[in-house]
Amino acid sequence: MYDGHVGAVGSAAAAAVSAYPSYSEHHTGWPIDIGDGGGACSFEPCFADQPAATWASANAHRFGFVIRYPAGAEADTGYSFEPWHLRYVGVDAATEIHDQGITLEEFTTRHSPN
Ligand SMILES: [Zn+2]
């Protein structure tokens, strides 16, 4: 997948939309990618307007998941908006991240002992 992005848009742009092989957060086992049954806007930013994404945006935190790469946070997360990519962080962390509209990076900084 990464090589396909590099071929299409170059390595710098590819890094914002696809992880280098073996560096994907998916290797940790914490994230999941979701979609609608019909496959509308799969792995595209327009997925944000699909029912599954709007539900996840409003409710995923109740089950301990966050939208890992939210819109407008590319400089913080290093990735483009991915409304389909949810990461489990636990209900307490997910609720704080959701309610305060922050990224996992901001949450981690706030709760760092240093
Ligand atoms: Zn993903």
Side-chain angles (χ1 to χ4, degrees), residues 30-108:
W30 295 109
I32 59 171
D33 290 331
I34 64 168
D36 276 321
C41 290
S42 291
F43 302 104
E44 297 291 337
C46 60
F47 178 66
D49 298 322
Q50 298 303 310
T54 56
W55 185 92
S57 180
N59 295 287
H61 67 284
R62 296 171 42 222
F63 303 92
F65 287 88
V66 295
I67 307 299
R68 179 65 180 90
Y69 306 120
E74 290 82 357
D76 196 23
T77 66
Y79 282 90
S80 298
F81 180 38
E82 292 190 359
W84 60 88
H85 184 100
L86 310 181
R87 177 181 168 138
Y88 185 79
V89 296
V91 171
D92 290 345
T95 299
E96 182 174 335
I97 289 167
H98 173 268
D99 290 353
Q100 296 191 20
I102 61 176
T103 63
L104 179 57
E105 283 76 9
E106 291 171 304
F107 175 87
T108 301

